[in-house]
Amino acid sequence: MSAPTTERRATPLAEATTPTLRAAVKRWRFWLILAAVAIVGLLIVALASGAGGGSRAPYSITNAAPEGSKALAEVLRQQGVDVVQADTLDEARAAMDAAPGATLAFADPDGLLNDSRLAEAAQLSDRVVLFLPGFNELRAFAPGVASAGAPRDIDGVDAGCSLPAAVRAGTIIGGGRSYRATAGSDAELCFRTSDDAYDVVRTETSNGTVTVLGTADVLSNEGITGAGNAALALNLLGETDTLVWYVPTASDVEADGPADIASLTPDWVTPVLALSVFTFIAAAIWRGRRLGALVVENLPVTVRSRETMEGRARLYARAGAHTHALDSLRIGTITRLSRVLGLPRNATVDEVIASVAAVLPARPLGDIQSILVAAAPANEADLVAYSDRLLELEGAVTRAVRP
């Protein structure tokens, strides 16, 4: 008799699996994509903040963008002209002291210099070329020259004068501003664009020769190759062995108050904040897509702009706010006058008044200041009368600038 055998059943073992790379990537796909987007955004912010080198400002001789002037500076250097860049008034003064008799190329498109520093800049050289100057620059450098209108484009304007640089250029094209000589001033007027408006005006001042250039394409990398633009720029700026190219920067601004938050923070704060905003927007878009499309519902009431205007007018009339209503009209008139006179957007009311007085010499300055700033209506009749005077003043300036 055989002994009973004990049957042993093998317990099945669980299969051990190792996570694959594909599974790990699939699990962390969103965060990997978000990290890649963040890296690309950081690179874009770094490039936009100037990490690539060179300035992005207009008229800068280190700016290779279409609005820069690097091409003009390089050609001048190839022709033997020593082009010196100056970013501050002190650097420009030092460069002029090192090369007496050098030509000064000056532009202040952002209006960074005040009147006193503009007066100092005007004394640096006896041969100055101004790039699209505004009212303050003209008053400091060339008081015999005035603005003749708003920016416009020209297409093939002949020199029409005996200025050697203009004669060699023949014709120029592009956009910019036009200028005119004031009464009693002796100036060389070139490239006529209207009755008394010109693109190039050369005048003699007590300090020397000042040439006002009103065509931006003559200086820009994009427009210098058109017609005779290059010939005009090279001959105007290459008359001497040394050219000091001075475009004011923020370092020229005189501090008159406490330091702001931007000057107290490190340079990396702005890129990091921009990256954070970019990441937040990307995450919001990702999460927002999971909520589905937005439902568009029509509003129960549509308020027309005319009804809003009339309602506000009735409120002014009911409250007797005649001065407030006139101030609203003045703001619109001053904005349009600034645009017609070709002033920069940051021009003050005093600059607009001075420009209007220069365009309308027969009208007293006090009368212009009264209607634009000081006068206060006592009743609705006065408000209507002052409104008519504002319209008449705007029409007179428009006719004087654009006959």
Side-chain angles (χ1 to χ4, degrees):
M1 186 173 180
S2 60
T5 59
T6 303
E7 183 179 358
R8 296 182 180 179
R9 295 181 180 180
T11 303
L13 298 177
E15 182 181 359
T17 58
T18 302
T20 62
L21 179 61
R22 177 179 299 179
V25 170
K26 185 176 181 179
R27 183 182 306 164
W28 295 93
R29 179 175 55 186
F30 166 73
W31 297 109
L32 291 175
I33 294 175
L34 187 60
V37 171
I39 293 174
V40 173
L42 184 59
L43 291 176
I44 294 175
V45 171
L47 292 176
S49 62
S55 172
R56 305 296 295 177
Y59 312 125
S60 172
I61 58 177
T62 61
N63 185 1
E67 69 276 7
S69 301
K70 185 175 182 178
L72 174 58
E74 293 300 324
V75 175
L76 285 169
R77 290 190 176 106
Q78 292 175 8
Q79 293 186 351
V81 179
D82 183 17
V83 182
V84 181
Q85 178 180 347
D87 296 329
T88 64
L89 182 59
D90 293 336
E91 292 180 5
R93 184 181 294 109
M96 296 302 304
D97 292 341
T103 301
L104 175 65
F106 179 82
D108 189 11
D110 297 326
L112 299 177
L113 298 186
N114 55 28
D115 292 342
S116 62
R117 296 180 75 83
L118 282 174
E120 294 180 29
Q123 302 297 321
L124 292 178
S125 175
D126 59 356
R127 186 182 298 272
V128 180
V129 180
L130 293 178
F131 302 153
L132 280 77
F135 175 78
N136 291 336
E137 293 99 308
L138 290 175
R139 183 173 56 182
F141 284 86
V145 181
S147 176
R152 77 285 172 276
D153 292 333
I154 59 175
D155 186 11
V157 178
D158 296 328
C161 66
S162 59
L163 187 66
V167 173
R168 296 188 184 98
T171 61
I172 60 174
I173 60 176
R177 299 177 183 173
S178 56
Y179 300 89
R180 61 182 175 85
T182 58
S185 64
D186 184 14
E188 185 79 19
L189 307 173
C190 303
F191 302 105
R192 181 178 179 180
T193 57
S194 63
D195 292 340
D196 62 342
Y198 299 85
D199 270 347
V200 177
V201 179
R202 172 165 286 187
T203 182
E204 297 292 335
T205 66
S206 59
N207 192 51
T209 302
V210 177
T211 304
V212 177
L213 179 60
T215 305
D217 285 7
V218 172
L219 308 168
S220 66
N221 299 325
E222 181 180 24
I224 192 172
T225 57
N229 292 1
L232 177 62
L234 294 175
N235 283 281
L236 281 179
L237 299 173
E239 293 182 342
T240 58
D241 294 334
T242 303
L243 173 66
V244 178
W245 194 287
Y246 176 32
V247 178
T249 60
S251 300
D252 272 322
V253 179
E254 295 181 339
D256 55 359
D260 57 358
I261 188 65
S263 63
L264 299 177
T265 55
D267 296 336
W268 55 266
V269 172
T270 300
V272 169
L273 289 177
L275 179 59
S276 301
V277 172
F278 183 85
T279 305
F280 172 80
I281 293 174
I285 294 174
W286 172 71
R287 295 296 298 177
R289 290 183 61 204
R290 302 187 64 176
L291 300 177
L294 296 178
V295 178
V296 179
E297 292 184 295
N298 295 326
L299 293 176
V301 178
T302 301
V303 181
R304 296 182 176 85
S305 59
R306 179 177 181 86
E307 295 178 1
T308 304
M309 178 186 66
E310 292 176 352
R312 184 175 298 177
R314 285 193 291 269
L315 289 176
Y316 287 167
R318 185 180 304 172
H322 305 113
T323 302
H324 192 79
L326 181 60
D327 287 341
S328 299
L329 299 177
R330 284 168 171 166
I331 292 173
T333 301
I334 291 173
T335 302
R336 292 190 294 273
L337 287 175
S338 177
R339 190 181 303 115
V340 169
L341 293 170
L343 298 176
R345 293 183 179 180
N346 58 352
T348 63
V349 177
D350 293 336
E351 292 176 351
V352 174
I353 293 174
S355 298
V356 171
V359 172
L360 303 176
R363 181 165 298 197
L365 179 61
D367 180 66
I368 298 173
Q369 187 175 13
S370 174
I371 185 58
L372 289 180
V373 177
N379 47 48
E380 292 186 2
D382 289 346
L383 177 61
V384 174
Y386 285 132
S387 175
D388 294 339
R389 290 180 62 188
L390 286 172
L391 290 174
E392 188 273 335
L393 178 64
E394 183 177 351
V397 172
T398 303
R399 289 190 298 271
V401 173
R402 303 171 180 171

